[in-house]
């Protein structure tokens, strides 16, 4: 979603939004209070005056906190008194009359020609005549009586007053709004984020979600738009108004116009009448609208679920908008409160509407336009706050999210895969949805059972527990059926062009010689490709999209090819296999995936992904892009990593120098640190080559919380220190110290003391006689001798803060434990 132009953080934005919502609610409450006071008997004028003053103060405060924009979404203007209004109207009329009179004589107000002595009455008469002619011309144009009559009227008016011509032009253009040029691009939906929910295109968004066409449109915000929501049309025009856009979406998506009443003319008329009724109520306050709709629907919904017919229509949606679009829990309670807690058909209908997944998705889309504003539909189903760095999923609602991680079983998972799977898991768990792990096993040449098993093990290492594990190979027959469907529709063809020639033709945007092949020939060659005949190996299935496209992936990509090697799961059942580009969008739609998280390297293929789903009439899936995780001087290609393993340059896929999941975990990567690091990268689309030291620094912070403290000294590069007043070797003296000084709960350990201790050689370079050092966990030692061997004296009450060096050490006793440390750089 587009971010606000102001440079403020998300918390501040959310606070501002909350304050504006509170102020909007206050304005509504005071307005309702004024309405009630006016109906009271007797009328308390003083109370009304006080309430009106409070209402103006609330509106003024809202505008001040909303950049000068009022509650109605228009620029705020201070209200005028009756006397001021009268004076303003009088001045405007006088100016208008003077302008019309001057125009009638061909002169300019204030110019030399205007100095001619014309009576005030003559000026007024000319002005009225001009205004009357303008209204007549505009009326004829609006009534469809254009042509010669309208042109004649306009022409006559223009002779006496040029002002009339301008007015007529405005009227004419207003009757052709769809052809007016617009700054919006085709299928761009734009609206003001400062207006209330019901002034946003919630009906249009609901229709788009119901018809599964939301992916066809882009949503943007414009704080300077005060004329309601607008949609850019393919012909360069602009469509304004929520209901108008909703009708356009419904007509564009369904041939039978089910949301508009289907093919039944009576049903369509009923839907239109209900939409018009809902529109007429918008000028009233919410209390009056709710009560009016409840009374009207009492008989209509007495024995029905929907307002018109036996399915959801635009009539239901328009009426739901009319009562405030109470999809959120707080809004629904407010509607029930207005009705005094009465149980009526409208309450049942409202609960059905607010629980509809498409209505909830539309609410989230409408509210999340300008900031990361997530909607609360059920007080008992609250989500955890977003982890810093992560963004909300577009249109995602609790319980209605399904993500997937589709690894190819052709190698072991690496750190890049870890980011993908952990992000998919994070969103699935946060929205209380499902996580699918699907093996994309469409290429028998690369895949092995070993890799499939290793991926399951690696996921367990990462702490990922998928809700279900599936295989693309389980859908081969279904995918093949969809491929045949594309050929029958003329959207795919078989091609035997050599690979190098095909690549060059795609670069040069040249059509294949088989592009206009009949579907009978396409099916014949497809069957040959799917047989055991090696002759079928030179044929492949290509999508028929657009060879002139600037997007190379849309230039008739390959969708199916022959491979006679046995598949590691299906054996020799199939002889031809779909490409990832064909299989992924089909299986994503079939398995119920709602959000496909893909790295930005797939950006060009996203258009192809959506084309396949649209061409096959499949449920559309939202694509959520994020940047892949790259590291400096690090190879993440599975093909290249396999080379290192097969040529014996590493000990295996779990080599601690390898960027595989097994490698980094063996090297000491903490899972919590890995998750925190990946979340800090978040869903950003900026590709950055990171340094390993950053992720290991995060790892150190996490390990520091629980790592027990021990000391070690280099076995060869060490120096002996004699503590002259220390315990002899024959004595077994120990001191008790904390395992973790910052957290006493980890307990204590014993440290052996001795007259002879070992220090790191590098730690004592330049040490001098008289210098005080600290032997960690023991005490302060004053150096008494350097030449011929270090000696020192333990100072029982030595000052730790004054000592310059704080050193690790070990008692030089036979019970030392040897440790081998490996460092990989």
């Amino acid at each position: 979603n587009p971010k606000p132009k102001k440079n403020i953080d998300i918390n501040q934005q959310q606070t501002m939004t909350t304050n504006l919502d509170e102020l909007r609610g206050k304005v509504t409450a005071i307005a309702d209070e004024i309405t009630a006071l006016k109906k009271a008997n007797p009328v308390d004028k003083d109370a009304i005056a006080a309430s009106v003053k409070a209402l103006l103060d609330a509106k003024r405060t809202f505008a001040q906190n909303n950049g000068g924009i009022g509650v109605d979404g228009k620029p705020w203007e201070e209200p005028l008194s009756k006397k001021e209004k009268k004076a303003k109207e009088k001045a405007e009329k006088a100016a208008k009359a003077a302008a019309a009179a001057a125009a009638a004589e061909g002169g300019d107000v204030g110019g030399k020609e205007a100095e001619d002595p014309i009576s005030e009455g003559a000026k007024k008469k000319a002005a009225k005549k001009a205004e009357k002619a303008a209204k007549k011309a505009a009326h004829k144009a609006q009534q469809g009586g254009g042509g010669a009559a309208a042109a004649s009227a306009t022409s006559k008016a223009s002779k006496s007053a040029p002002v009339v011509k301008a007015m007529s032009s405005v009227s004419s253009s207003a009757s052709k709004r769809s052809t007016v040029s617009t700054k919006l691009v085709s299928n761009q939906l734009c609206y003001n984020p400062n207006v209330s929910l019901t002034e946003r295109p919630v009906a249009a968004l609901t229709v788009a979600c119901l018809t599964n066409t939301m992916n066809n449109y882009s949503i943007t915000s414009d704080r300077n738009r005060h004329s309601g929501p607008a949609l850019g049309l393919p012909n360069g025009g602009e469509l304004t108004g929520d209901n108008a856009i909703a009708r356009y979406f419904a007509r564009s998506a369904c041939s039978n116009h089910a949301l508009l009443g289907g093919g039944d003319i009576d049903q369509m008329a009923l839907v239109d009448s209900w939409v018009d009724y809902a529109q007429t109520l918008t000028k009233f306050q919410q209390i009056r609208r709710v009560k009016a709709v409840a009374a009207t629907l009492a008989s209509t919904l007495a024995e029905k679920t929907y307002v018109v017919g036996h399915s959801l229509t635009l009539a239901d949606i328009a009426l739901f908008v009319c009562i405030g679009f109470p999809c959120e829990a707080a809004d629904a309670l407010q509607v029930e409160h207005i009705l005094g807690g009465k149980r009526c058909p409208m309450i049942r209908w409202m609960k059905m509407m607010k629980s509809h997944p498409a209505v909830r998705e539309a609410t989230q889309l409408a509210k999340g336009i300008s900031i990361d504003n997530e909607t609360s539909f059920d007080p008992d189903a609250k989500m955890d706050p977003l982890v810093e760095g992560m963004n909300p999923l577009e249109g995602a609602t609790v319980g209605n999210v399904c993500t997937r991680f589709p690894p190819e079983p052709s190698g072991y998972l690496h750190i890049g895969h870890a980011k993908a799977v952990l992000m998919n898991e994070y969103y699935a768990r946060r929205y209380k949805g499902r996580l699918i792990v699907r093996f994309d096993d469409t290429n028998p040449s690369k895949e092995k059972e070993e890799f499939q098993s290793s991926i399951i093990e690696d996921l367990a290492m990462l702490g990922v527990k998928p809700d279900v594990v599936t295989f693309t190979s389980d859908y081969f027959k279904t995918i093949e059926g969809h491929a045949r469907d594309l050929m029958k529709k003329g959207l795919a063809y078989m091609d035997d062009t050599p690979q190098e020639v095909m690549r060059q033709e795609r670069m040069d945007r040249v059509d294949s010689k088989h592009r206009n092949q009949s579907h009978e020939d396409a099916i014949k060659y497809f069957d040959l490709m799917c047989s055991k005949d090696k002759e079928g190996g030179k044929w492949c299935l290509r999508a028929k999209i657009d060879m002139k496209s600037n997007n190379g992936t849309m230039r008739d990509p390959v969708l199916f090819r022959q491979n006679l090697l046995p598949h590691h799961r299906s054996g020799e059942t199939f002889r031809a296999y779909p490409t990832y580009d064909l299989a992924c969008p089909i299986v994503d739609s079939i398995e119920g995936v709602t959000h496909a998280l893909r790295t930005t390297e797939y950006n060009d293929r996203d258009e192809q992904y959506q084309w396949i789903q649209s061409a096959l009439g499949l449920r559309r899936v939202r694509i959520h892009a994020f940047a892949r995780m790259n590291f400096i001087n690090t190879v993440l290609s599975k093909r290249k990593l396999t080379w290192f393993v097969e040529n014996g340059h590493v000990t295996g896929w779990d080599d601690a120098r390898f960027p595989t999941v097994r490698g980094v975990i063996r090297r000491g990567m903490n899972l919590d640190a890995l998750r925190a690091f990946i979340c800090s990268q978040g869903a950003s689309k900026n590709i950055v080559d990171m340094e390993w030291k950053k992720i290991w620094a995060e790892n150190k912070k996490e390990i520091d919380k629980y790592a027990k403290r021990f000391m070690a000294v280099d076995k060869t590069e060490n120096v002996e220190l004699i503590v002259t007043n220390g315990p002899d070797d024959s004595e077994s003296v120990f001191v008790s110290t904390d395992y973790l000084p910052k957290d006493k709960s980890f307990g204590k350990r014993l440290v052996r003391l001795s007259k002879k201790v070992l220090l790191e050689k590098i730690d004592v370079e330049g040490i001098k006689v008289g210098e005080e050092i600290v032997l960690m966990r023991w005490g302060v030692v004053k150096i008494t001798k350097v030449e011929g061997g270090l000696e020192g004296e333990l100072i029982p009450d030595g000052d730790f803060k004054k000592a310059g060096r704080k050193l690790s050490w070990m008692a030089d006793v036979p019970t030392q434990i040897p440790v081998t440390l490996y460092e990989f750089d």
Side-chain angles (χ1 to χ4, degrees), residues 188 556 584 723 804:
Q188 178 186 2
D556 295 8
C584 185
V723 182

Side-chain angles (χ1 to χ4, degrees), residues 93 96-105 120-138 152-165 167:
K93 284 182 179 179
K96 189 175 179 182
E105 291 190 15
E120 198 65 32
K123 289 180 182 179
K124 289 183 179 180
K125 190 174 181 181
K128 285 183 179 179
K129 186 176 181 181
E131 191 174 354
K132 187 176 180 181
K135 288 181 179 178
K136 188 175 180 181
S152 174
T154 305
S155 176
K156 288 179 182 177
S158 64
K159 288 179 182 178
S160 59
V163 177
V164 178
K165 184 176 182 180
M167 291 177 65

Side-chain angles (χ1 to χ4, degrees), residues 276-465:
D276 290 344
Y277 168 69
Q279 187 65 35
T280 60
L281 295 178
T282 56
K283 60 185 177 183
F284 301 115
Q285 294 290 337
Q286 186 188 18
I287 292 178
R288 187 169 175 181
R289 295 200 308 268
V290 170
K291 290 182 177 179
V293 172
T296 308
L297 292 181
S299 58
T300 304
L301 295 175
E303 298 179 356
K304 292 172 60 179
T305 301
Y306 302 102
V307 176
V308 177
H310 302 290
S311 62
L312 192 69
T313 64
L314 189 57
D316 297 282
I317 299 169
L319 289 168
F320 195 64
V321 175
C322 181
I323 64 172
F325 211 76
C327 197
E328 290 191 82
D331 295 336
L333 286 174
Q334 184 177 353
V335 170
E336 293 186 27
H337 176 71
I338 290 173
L339 296 176
K342 296 177 182 177
R343 312 315 298 171
C344 61
M346 194 195 81
I347 295 296
R348 169 178 51 80
W349 169 83
M350 180 190 72
K351 290 182 177 179
M352 179 271 295
M353 289 292 294
K354 72 183 288 289
S355 63
H356 198 291
V359 176
R360 291 190 170 191
E361 185 179 350
T363 306
Q364 182 57 60
L365 287 169
K367 295 201 71 173
I369 181 65
S370 57
I371 61 172
D372 298 337
N373 188 3
E374 295 188 287
T375 307
S376 173
F377 301 109
D378 185 355
D380 299 327
K382 292 183 179 179
M383 293 182 291
D384 296 329
L386 276 168
V387 173
E388 186 177 355
M390 301 295 276
N391 298 326
L393 292 178
E394 184 184 34
T397 57
V398 176
N400 294 304
V401 168
C402 179
T403 61
R404 90 289 193 263
F405 174 61
E408 182 183 14
S410 58
Y412 285 67
L413 296 185
H414 56 62
I415 192 73
H417 293 122
K419 176 177 181 179
V421 69
L422 289 176
M423 284 187 62
N424 274 284
E425 188 207 29
Y426 171 77
Y427 282 122
R429 302 302 170 233
R430 181 175 187 269
Y431 288 100
K432 297 175 176 56
R434 291 195 311 144
L435 170 65
I436 298 172
V437 169
R438 182 201 312 135
F439 286 99
D440 177 46
D441 51 348
T442 58
N443 189 352
S445 301
K446 295 182 179 180
E447 295 147 7
K448 295 180 182 178
E449 186 72 33
E450 171 200 350
F451 296 139
Q452 183 178 303
S453 301
S454 72
I455 290 172
I456 295 294
E457 293 171 4
D458 289 348
L459 293 176
M461 287 182 184
L462 291 171
V464 174
K465 296 180 180 179

Side-chain angles (χ1 to χ4, degrees), residues 540-656:
C540 67
L541 179 69
R542 296 179 65 182
K544 189 176 181 180
I545 308 178
D546 182 8
M547 285 297 289
K548 306 300 181 186
S549 174
N550 291 328
N551 183 347
T553 66
M554 297 296 283
R555 297 177 203 152
D556 295 8
V558 174
L559 303 180
F560 242 97
R561 71 276 192 253
Q562 188 185 75
N563 192 329
L564 298 179
L565 292 174
H567 191 275
H568 72 283
R569 291 190 74 244
S570 59
E572 298 183 349
T573 304
F574 301 96
R575 296 297 184 172
Y577 299 91
T579 61
Y580 178 81
D581 290 336
L582 176 64
C584 185
I586 292 175
V587 181
D588 277 353
S589 184
I590 292 172
E591 291 192 332
V593 174
T594 59
H595 295 78
L597 275 64
R598 290 157 63 105
T599 55
T600 50
E601 62 190 298
Y602 284 94
N603 280 356
D604 288 344
R605 295 183 181 275
D606 291 346
E607 186 179 0
Q608 181 193 101
Y609 177 102
Q610 292 170 345
W611 180 90
I612 290 172
Q613 290 184 342
S614 179
L616 292 171
L618 297 172
R619 181 186 59 84
R620 303 290 288 278
V621 178
R622 273 198 176 85
I623 295 175
H624 191 85
F626 66 94
R628 63 177 293 171
M629 194 153 61
N630 292 334
F631 287 92
I632 294 173
N633 299 325
T634 303
V635 173
L636 292 177
S637 166
K638 285 191 285 186
R639 178 177 56 82
K640 294 177 180 178
L641 293 176
T642 302
W643 180 87
F644 277 100
V645 175
E646 291 178 347
N647 287 276
H649 294 294
V650 291
T651 58
W653 289 93
D654 63 346
D655 191 296

